[in-house]
Amino acid sequence: MKRYMLITFVWGMLLMAGCHEVTVGYLQTKNAMYVPNTMKIRLVLDENLDAFRIHGVIGTGPLLYEIEEVKATEGGNAELFRHLLRIRGGGRMEFPLVSDITAGHYTVSVRVYNEGYSEIIKDAFTFEVI
């Protein structure tokens, strides 16, 4: 009987040691990246080719995303691009099919945050408007 109680106690301790909650606000973006990390904006978007989500972000939910910064080169208008760009769940970015944006390269930095933590993924994605 003592042996049965000892085995039950040991199993109970092992189960309790294995069950712990993730700390509220945990966030790790060390390996965060978009795959692929560039996209050409076409006049007619393809649902499969143009639906990118960010990979390598782990942490307690909910994980929220926002556009931190947009840099423009080759004649682009960063302020207008940032105004038109939207970021949704999972880090999916959406750009309107019809806009007044000028051709150029637009590099986007993304802020990922949750309760208590915030990280910026610098130059996470580049759009080439042609």
Side-chain angles (χ1 to χ4, degrees):
M1 181 69 169
K2 285 185 178 182
R3 187 175 186 183
Y4 175 74
M5 289 177 61
L6 179 62
I7 290 173
T8 304
F9 176 74
V10 169
W11 275 107
M13 293 303 290
L14 288 173
L15 287 173
M16 287 187 350
C19 297
H20 65 282
E21 291 190 30
V22 177
T23 304
V24 173
Y26 173 76
L27 180 64
Q28 181 181 2
T29 60
K30 183 173 106 178
N31 297 317
M33 70 180 77
Y34 281 91
V35 179
N37 67 352
T38 59
M39 177 181 134
K40 291 184 180 178
I41 296 180
R42 299 179 253 290
L43 293 177
V44 179
L45 297 179
D46 182 292
E47 286 184 18
N48 295 320
L49 293 176
D50 298 327
F52 302 114
R53 293 179 184 260
I54 198 164
H55 298 272
V57 174
I58 58 175
T60 51
L63 293 175
L64 304 169
Y65 301 83
E66 67 182 30
I67 304 300
E68 177 66 21
E69 177 184 33
V70 175
K71 294 184 277 187
T73 59
E74 300 180 24
N77 182 339
E79 186 176 322
L80 178 59
F81 193 88
R82 182 175 181 168
H83 176 73
L84 295 171
L85 185 65
R86 298 284 180 250
I87 192 162
R88 305 284 185 217
R92 187 183 76 232
M93 288 186 262
E94 298 174 352
F95 193 80
L97 185 58
V98 178
S99 70
D100 295 331
I101 200 68
T102 56
H105 288 82
Y106 299 87
T107 303
V108 178
S109 295
V110 175
R111 177 181 297 278
V112 182
Y113 62 98
N114 61 11
E115 183 181 331
Y117 289 88
S118 178
E119 296 278 339
I120 297 173
I121 304 165
K122 294 291 288 176
D123 304 334
F125 200 86
T126 302
F127 292 90
E128 180 184 356
V129 178
I130 50 176

